[in-house]
Amino acid sequence: MNREIIDRIINEILQEKLKGKDGHICCKDGVCSDNLCVVHNKEGVRNIVGNGATRITASVGIEAAGGVESDLAGMIDHTLLKPDASKSEIEKLCGEAKKYGFASVCINPSYVPLCAKLLKGTDVKVCTVIGFPLGATSTASKAFETEQAIREGAQEVDMVMNVGMLKSGEYDYVEHDIFAVVSTARRYRVLSKVILETGFLTDEEKIKACVLAKRAGADFVKTSTGFGKGGATMGDIALMRKVVGSTMGVKASGGVRSREDALAMVASGADRIGASASVKIVSGETAEATKGY
Amino acid sequence: MNREIIDRIINEILQEKLKGKDGHICCKDGVCSDNLCVVHNKEGVRNIVGNGATRITASVGIEAAGGVESDLAGMIDHTLLKPDASKSEIEKLCGEAKKYGFASVCINPSYVPLCAKLLKGTDVKVCTVIGFPLGATSTASKAFETEQAIREGAQEVDMVMNVGMLKSGEYDYVEHDIFAVVSTARRYRVLSKVILETGFLTDEEKIKACVLAKRAGADFVKTSTGFGKGGATMGDIALMRKVVGSTMGVKASGGVRSREDALAMVASGADRIGASASVKIVSGETAEATKGY
């Protein structure tokens, strides 16, 4: 990717960010300047729904219409990714997802067949992770892992970007790495999300990463793995939404532990939440099985 | 794998452990009871060397002969696995490995081609990680990742066992998962190590994991990824050495930060050390590039 183009985009966005007001950051004076707003660009929303994102329930500003509170569960990927999670914990996770109507369960690839079996015939999707959590395996392996997971029943894939290559200025590598997963997923009409691991990135790198994910055709950008530095912040969500516009999804993950956290992320522009404390978020109960990651 | 066999092995080993003395734990009263000792079973050592482990430089008791101090560098996998490691940091790592004569550089798969190029014609091996660090991807993906890494230049592979499946009692799954990587590596005469992630395991689970790794034909067992709970301990190394015997290697990794740490691991039975503080371990210098993981 041409560095001049990236520099121009970064400058534009950072200037915009500096000028920005609190609140509905993709509009200025109530008018959308660049068709990036889900409130004012319903066509864009229809496009992403048409591309396979069937649960675009909210975005910047949507919460004002009262739609979020009633469908918070439907925005949550109910997540259990710790390496020592047992089959019985995964079974409990799937049971909770069905009970509360979460968007998906997000689990490691070796549990995809089990979850696909347990969730067959329900609206809860099976979401898995690719190149997780370091994002530093080979591109060919990420593509293979994607196809294997889909064949075993995965309906959404959250892949980790190669952070080290981004930091090395290898933008073509990063874009191709993302594209290898996205294009594999798309062949099967499976949704793809790109985890940026924002805690390792400067604002400029976050913008570059969003631009690369968008160019590669991903459906979502996502903040964090939950295993690295930091987690989702309102500032990062707003920045990511600003860069990718309304035709892509933004998933907030890492450290989202309460209803207040989740609603703050939605208010900042997230339309998907990754959480292990999902039961607590929607009901106030604490789910034993989902403590930890 | 038959549960009765596992239970019998565990009982035998735990009883042995309870009876054991400090020091050279695989011998009792100066006589090896079961041919598990590298000091008294030189044939076993020759076997593993013949199988591709060319740097079995020490094991239990060897340090007494003064061989370790002179070849500590040759036992160390110089490691940089953090996800944001840049190409320039990897280049520095390879330079240090050549300068100090480390056994290998241990890096993420996406840096295998770079390291293979930088280390061509040297004695420093390229070691990479498989299913890392969670060990929870699919078996097929681990096998593919192994072959891909080897084709790109990897000469040793450190794979992570599926901890969740072990905890679920799925021993056949775990053994097959290890075997898929080991058999792929062996086809190319590449050394394989199995990371148990001991910090998540009970003593019984550590023994089961060692038995499964041995049955699957792995060359080494290894304690930790450095990303999960805990790290290498002297007790774990001694236990692992006791279970796998002298015909397999034992690699201590995770939290080995000083020369004293490294020598303690060797005294406990390790014949390979994974460390990022390798330069400090062998020279007392602090290497800027290798701070962190």
Side-chain angles (χ1 to χ4, degrees), chain B:
Chain B
M1 188 179 179
N2 187 300
R3 278 175 191 264
E4 282 179 18
I5 296 173
I6 293 178
D7 288 343
R8 183 174 57 73
I9 294 168
I10 289 169
N11 284 335
E12 283 175 14
I13 291 171
L14 287 181
Q15 280 174 20
E16 195 76 15
K17 195 185 173 202
L18 289 172
K19 283 190 290 182
K21 303 170 183 175
D22 289 340
H24 191 171
I25 69 144
C26 68
C27 301
K28 288 191 293 190
D29 307 322
V31 181
C32 273
S33 57
D34 50 7
N35 284 329
L36 291 182
C37 168
V38 72
V39 175
H40 300 105
N41 179 7
K42 299 202 186 307
E43 183 62 27
V45 177
R46 273 194 291 274
N47 284 343
I48 185 169
V49 170
N51 284 330
T54 54
R55 291 186 305 284
I56 301 301
T57 49
S59 183
V60 184
I62 284 286
E63 86 284 4
V68 171
E69 286 280 346
S70 63
D71 196 22
L72 193 55
M75 300 174 70
I76 294 175
D77 291 339
H78 193 32
T79 302
L80 183 55
L81 292 164
K82 60 180 189 168
D84 56 335
S86 66
K87 284 173 75 174
S88 60
E89 288 176 288
I90 296 292
E91 285 161 359
K92 186 167 183 190
L93 187 86
C94 290
E96 289 167 351
K98 286 192 276 188
K99 178 179 175 186
Y100 292 98
F102 294 128
S104 77
V105 293
C106 184
I107 41 80
N108 280 304
S110 61
Y111 281 132
V112 164
L114 175 62
C115 293
K117 186 177 155 198
L118 293 170
L119 296 173
K120 194 175 177 183
T122 75
D123 289 334
V124 182
K125 297 267 195 291
V126 177
C127 172
T128 195
V129 288
I130 303 297
F132 192 88
L134 304 185
T137 190
S138 60
T139 299
S141 295
K142 286 181 180 177
F144 181 92
E145 190 177 31
T146 302
E147 184 147 16
Q148 180 69 20
I150 293 169
R151 287 185 173 177
E152 292 184 340
Q155 295 155 294
E156 302 193 356
V157 291
D158 291 13
M159 69 90 70
V160 188
M161 182 188 71
N162 194 309
V163 176
M165 290 296 185
L166 186 85
K167 289 199 171 276
S168 304
E170 298 286 345
Y171 305 132
D172 285 342
Y173 183 104
V174 175
E175 185 178 337
H176 176 249
D177 191 62
I178 298 170
F179 180 74
V181 172
V182 167
S183 57
T184 303
R186 190 147 285 182
R187 278 212 313 278
Y188 294 89
R189 299 185 61 79
V190 157
L191 203 75
S192 59
K193 313 188 193 98
V194 179
I195 306 173
L196 311 186
E197 203 66 306
T198 45
F200 287 110
L201 306 181
T202 64
D203 274 357
E204 288 196 14
E205 288 167 340
K206 289 168 203 165
I207 294 167
K208 287 175 189 168
C210 285
V211 171
L212 293 167
K214 188 166 186 171
R215 280 173 57 97
D219 295 305
F220 271 74
V221 284
K222 170 178 168 180
T223 54
S224 314
T225 63
F227 288 80
K229 280 188 200 165
T233 67
M234 291 176 70
D236 283 347
I237 293 294
L239 179 62
M240 290 160 69
R241 168 60 66 197
K242 177 71 187 166
V243 182
V244 302
S246 62
T247 54
M248 276 183 80
V250 175
K251 175 172 169 181
S253 57
V256 183
R257 298 205 177 89
S258 67
R259 188 173 190 85
E260 292 66 37
D261 289 346
L263 291 175
M265 292 304 151
V266 174
S268 302
D271 39 29
R272 194 73 76 89
I273 304 291
S276 55
S278 327
V279 172
K280 184 181 162 209
I281 288 171
V282 296
S283 73
E285 295 169 30
T286 303
E288 191 61 36
T290 56
K291 279 182 181 164
Y293 298 113

Side-chain angles (χ1 to χ4, degrees), chain A residues 10-53:
Chain A
I10 289 168
N11 283 335
E12 282 176 15
I13 291 171
L14 288 180
Q15 280 175 21
E16 194 76 16
K17 196 184 172 202
L18 289 172
K19 283 190 294 182
K21 302 171 185 176
D22 290 339
H24 191 170
I25 69 145
C26 68
C27 300
K28 288 191 295 191
D29 307 322
V31 180
C32 275
S33 57
D34 49 9
N35 283 329
L36 292 182
C37 169
V38 73
V39 175
H40 301 105
N41 180 7
K42 300 201 186 307
E43 183 62 29
V45 178
R46 272 194 292 275
N47 284 344
I48 186 169
V49 171
N51 284 329

Side-chain angles (χ1 to χ4, degrees), chain A residues 81 83-87 108-111 132-134 136-138 140-141 144-145 148 162-165 168 170 173 200 227, chain B residues 81 83-87 108-111 132-134 136-138 140-141 144-145 148 162-165 168 170 173 200:
Chain A
L81 292 164
D84 56 334
S86 67
K87 284 173 76 174
N108 279 304
S110 60
Y111 281 132
F132 190 87
L134 303 186
T137 191
S138 59
S141 295
F144 181 92
E145 189 177 32
Q148 180 69 19
N162 193 310
V163 176
M165 290 296 185
S168 304
E170 297 286 344
Y173 183 104
F200 287 110
F227 288 79
Chain B
L81 292 164
D84 56 335
S86 66
K87 284 173 75 174
N108 280 304
S110 61
Y111 281 132
F132 192 88
L134 304 185
T137 190
S138 60
S141 295
F144 181 92
E145 190 177 31
Q148 180 69 20
N162 194 309
V163 176
M165 290 296 185
S168 304
E170 298 286 345
Y173 183 104
F200 287 110

